Amino acid sequence: MSKLGCVCGNTIVDQCDNLDNKAYFIRDQDYEKSENYTEDIESFINAVKNDSRDKWTEKYFGSEVYKNLSNSTVIQDIISRYKLKYESTMYQCKNCGRVKIEKGTTNIFTSFETENDQSMDIFKVVTENES
Ligand SMILES: [Zn+2]
């Protein structure tokens, strides 16, 4: 998603990292499955130990490109596959405070109105001193 319209007329723009009005979430029903990447990483480590690394990455990713990439990149991409599959996105409109929640990983959003001004900036990082 790069732009999302809000019913208030504002446009939520997502074109950089570290947005203070964006968050990710995993449904409780998917939570355990979302952490199963550890099994895939263990399988990858075993393939490296058994000299079948290239065969493993080609089968797992369906691409030969991983032959030339580092083990840390392979592990990062294993984790990313799980994130893509199970993580959904939320945004808060900076104009009206509505929270837009993604249905599944469909890129379709439903919005919820805030009850008061104290609900603005709910995705901003709060340090211990500020809370
Ligand atoms: Zn809005």
Side-chain angles (χ1 to χ4, degrees), residues 13-90:
V13 180
D14 181 356
Q15 292 175 330
C16 61
D17 294 331
N18 297 316
L19 293 173
D20 62 5
N21 65 331
K22 180 180 181 183
Y24 299 95
F25 71 100
I26 298 170
R27 287 161 190 77
D28 195 45
Q29 305 149 75
D30 289 331
Y31 196 78
E32 282 185 39
K33 286 182 271 179
S34 76
E35 294 190 323
N36 284 348
Y37 58 80
T38 54
E39 293 170 17
D40 294 5
I41 290 168
E42 186 173 3
S43 172
F44 172 66
I45 290 168
N46 287 333
V48 170
K49 284 183 189 170
N50 298 329
D51 277 338
S52 56
R53 180 194 190 279
D54 292 349
K55 198 173 149 191
W56 190 95
T57 55
E58 194 176 335
K59 187 179 175 199
Y60 188 83
F61 294 107
S63 169
E64 291 183 14
V65 74
Y66 288 89
K67 284 180 182 176
N68 304 315
L69 298 175
S70 69
N71 288 344
S72 64
T73 300
V74 171
I75 290 168
Q76 185 61 54
D77 284 6
I78 290 169
I79 296 168
S80 292
R81 284 180 125 205
Y82 279 82
K83 285 185 173 188
L84 282 173
K85 189 171 180 182
Y86 296 111
E87 276 186 5
S88 299
T89 313
M90 296 186 280

Side-chain angles (χ1 to χ4, degrees), residues 6-10 12 93-98:
C6 183
V7 291
C8 74
N10 187 34
I12 299 166
C93 177
K94 288 187 171 186
N95 185 48
C96 69
R98 280 185 179 84

